[in-house]
DNA sequence: CCCGGTTACGCTTGTCGTAAAGATT
DNA sequence: AATCTTTACGACAAGCGTAACCGGG
C-alpha cells in the first residue's frame, strides 16, 4: 500500500487507462502495470477489470479510501514544509463563491492578498495542501454550529458569519411575493444542484432538477429565475428572494487556517475573524 | 513520506527512543536512524531533538498528521481485505461504555457476538481498521444531528438512539433534588474529565476538576458522588441524577458499520438499527 | 566507560525501462 | 491489424544489517 502505488491506481481508475495514467505520471506503461499488479498481489484481490479498465467492487472501495488518503498525505507534507518555509509576504485566500460578504471584504488589506474562488468542497483541501494560506468556506448548519468539513488535516476553524436563508423562486412561482416560508413548504420542490456555488443542503435530499457545475452566482440566479429549479441562498446576496423563516438552519461562513500559518496569514486571519 | 518512515517516526516519538522503536518495529537502531534521517532530509527540517529524543515543533506538527494518516491507511487495507475475506460467522461489536442501552441489548442474538468495550474515541478506529465488525458509539449532539466522529474511513453511520441528559451531583450539592436544571446553570461548574466513559462535551469547556482514565461507569459515579466533580450522563443510566432540561443537546448513540460489512455483521446491524 | 545515535559499506531486494509476447476488439 | 496490457530481463537505486565511530553522562 505504498502511496505511489495508490497514486497510480487512482490515476488509472480516473483515466480508465493504464497507458494514459503512465503518460500523466511520467512512467512507462510497464511500470503502471507493475504498480497495479503489486497492489493486487498485496491485497490478493482484483482491483480493476481490463478492457475496459474499470474498478471492481474492491477497487471502488479502495478508491474511496485512496483519494482522501493521498490528500491527507499531501496536506501533511505541505503543512510541515510551510512551517519551515520563509514567509513570502503575499497571502492567497481561497474563498467559496458565497463566502465573501461585505464585512469581510472591508477587512481585507489594500494590498498583498490574492483571492482564489473555488467550489466549497475544495477550499479545505486547498488550505490543507498549501495551495492557499487561508480559506473562507460557506455552508448550511444549525445556528452556532460549526460547518461539517472534511477533515483532511488539522485546520483551525473559526466562524466568521451567520446569515439567514432565502429561496430564489422563478417569476411565476406560487410562493413568489410571500413574506417568508418554511423549508417544509418546499419539501418536494425541485432544487438546482450547484456544488460549485451553493454547498449541498444535507437536509434537503430530493432529486435535483438540474446540475450547474460553474462557480458563477449570477448564472445560477438566472437559471433559477428561468424556472429550472429552486436555489437556497444566504439572504444577503439575493434581495428579491423569499426569506426562509426556519430557525434551525442558517448559512454560515468559516475561516480556515492551517495549524501553522505564516505570520502574514495569521495577521490576516486575525483581521478577518475580528470582522466576522 | 513513505508510510514506513512515518510509522517509525511515530514510534520513536512515542517511545522517545531510537533503539526502543527499533526493538518494537523489528529493525536495527541503524535502520531507524536512517528512517528519521530520510524523513528529515525529505522535509529539510529537524523533526526530533536527540538526547533527549523529543519532537521539535515541526516534528510535533508532523505527528498530528501522521497518526490519523497511518490509521486511515490501516483502515483502507483492512476494509478492502474484509471485502475479499471469507465471512467467519462470528461478529465482534465495539461499544463505548454508555452506548449499550436495554433495547439494543435485547436485540442482540443469543450467540455469535463478542462485545468489546472501548473508549468512545477508539470505537470508530476499531471498526475502520477491522478489529471489530460493528461499533456503537455514544456522544453529545444537537437533537437529530449525527455525532461528529473522526472520519478515519468511509463508515456508514446510523442513529440508533437519543436520550435526554442528566447531571450527576454529589450528595450535598445545592441543586440536588431539583426537578430539572439547565446547562447554563452549570456554566462554571467543575466537571470530571472521563474520556474513556463519557465523550467530552464540546460545548462545556471549563477546566476539568479531575481526570478518570478507566471505562468503568460505576467508578465514575462514585467519584461524582464523592464530590470530585460533575458528570453529564444520559438520563437512563442514572436514576438519581438531576435531569437537564436543555433541548439543544441530547445524548445520542450511533451504529457504525464499515462500507463493506460481512454478511453476519450486516444482519446484526439491521437488527440493531431496527431496535434503536 | 557505557549507552545510544550516527556513519560507512556491502549485500539483498525492489523498481524502473526496454523489448518481446499475449490478448482483445 | 491495431491497440493496449502483460511478461521477461537487465541495470540501477534503495533499504537493511553489520560494524566501526562518535558524543554525552
Amino acid at each position: 500500500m505504498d502511496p505511489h502505488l495508490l497514486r497510480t491506481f487512482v490515476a488509472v481508475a480516473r483515466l480508465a487507462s493504464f497507458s494514459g495514467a503512465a503518460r500523466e505520471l511520467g512512467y512507462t506503461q510497464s511500470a503502471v502495470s507493475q504498480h497495479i499488479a503489486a497492489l493486487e498481489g498485496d491485497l490478493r484481490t482484483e482491483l480493476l477489470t481490463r478492457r475496459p479498465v474499470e474498478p471492481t467492487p474492491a477497487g471502488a472501495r479502495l478508491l474511496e479510501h485512496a483519494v482522501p488518503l493521498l490528500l491527507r498525505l499531501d496536506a501533511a507534507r505541505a503543512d510541515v514544509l510551510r512551517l519551515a518555509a520563509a514567509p513570502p509576504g503575499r497571502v492567497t485566500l481561497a474563498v467559496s463563491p458565497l463566502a465573501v460578504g461585505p464585512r469581510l471584504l472591508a477587512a481585507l488589506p489594500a494590498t498583498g492578498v490574492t483571492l482564489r474562488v473555488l467550489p466549497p468542497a475544495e477550499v479545505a483541501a486547498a488550505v490543507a495542501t498549501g495551495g492557499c494560506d487561508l480559506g473562507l468556506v460557506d455552508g448550511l448548519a444549525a445556528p452556532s454550529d460549526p460547518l461539517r468539513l472534511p477533515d483532511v488535516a488539522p485546520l483551525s476553524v473559526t466562524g466568521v458569519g451567520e446569515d439567514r436563508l432565502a429561496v430564489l423562486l422563478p417569476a411565476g412561482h406560487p410562493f413568489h411575493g410571500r413574506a417568508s416560508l418554511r423549508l417544509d413548504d418546499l419539501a418536494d420542490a425541485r432544487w438546482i444542484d450547484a456544488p460549485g456555488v451553493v454547498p449541498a443542503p444535507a437536509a434537503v435530499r430530493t432529486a435535483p432538477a438540474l446540475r450547474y457545475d460553474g462557480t458563477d452566482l449570477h448564472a445560477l440566479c438566472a437559471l433559477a429565475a428561468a424556472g429550472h429549479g429552486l436555489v437556497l441562498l444566504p439572504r444577503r446576496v439575493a434581495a428579491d428572494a423569499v426569506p426562509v423563516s426556519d430557525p434551525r438552519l442558517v448559512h454560515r461562513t468559516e475561516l480556515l487556517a492551517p495549524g501553522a500559518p505564516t505570520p502574514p496569514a495569521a495577521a490576516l486571519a486575525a483581521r478577518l475573524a475580528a470582522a466576522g
Side-chain angles (χ1 to χ4, degrees), chain A residues 68-265:
Chain A
L69 200 58
L70 294 173
L71 194 64
R72 270 205 92 119
L73 198 67
D74 293 342
R77 256 198 93 71
D79 199 19
V80 178
L81 287 176
R82 182 160 37 192
L83 233 181
R90 187 154 195 87
V91 180
T92 82
L93 181 63
V95 295
S96 53
L98 295 177
V100 280
R103 276 197 316 243
L104 288 169
L105 287 180
L108 287 180
T111 172
V113 174
T114 304
L115 275 185
R116 183 179 305 166
V117 178
L118 295 173
E122 295 174 21
V123 170
V127 177
T129 57
C132 297
D133 302 293
L134 294 173
L136 285 169
V137 222
D138 66 302
L140 270 28
S144 76
D145 250 31
L147 291 182
R148 288 170 179 274
L149 300 166
D151 68 338
V152 288
L155 298 175
S156 90
V157 180
T158 319
V160 293
E162 278 192 6
D163 196 2
R164 289 153 82 192
L165 294 168
V167 174
L168 213 54
L169 302 170
H173 196 281
F175 288 162
H176 202 93
R178 280 184 43 171
S180 83
L181 46 77
R182 292 176 311 156
L183 277 183
D184 300 335
D185 299 336
L186 300 166
D188 32 43
R190 300 169 4 129
W191 298 90
I192 299 183
D193 182 24
V197 185
V198 190
V204 188
R205 268 275 167 257
T206 48
L210 180 135
R211 181 182 170 107
Y212 170 66
D213 259 338
T215 59
D216 182 17
L217 178 59
H218 284 92
L220 183 60
C221 291
L223 286 170
H228 286 288
L230 273 40
V231 172
L232 197 59
L233 290 173
R235 202 173 285 188
R236 67 176 144 79
V237 303
D240 56 336
V242 178
V244 171
S245 59
D246 194 319
R248 294 170 309 178
L249 205 61
V250 298
H251 180 270
R252 186 178 166 95
T253 307
E254 307 264 8
L255 174 64
L256 305 183
T262 61

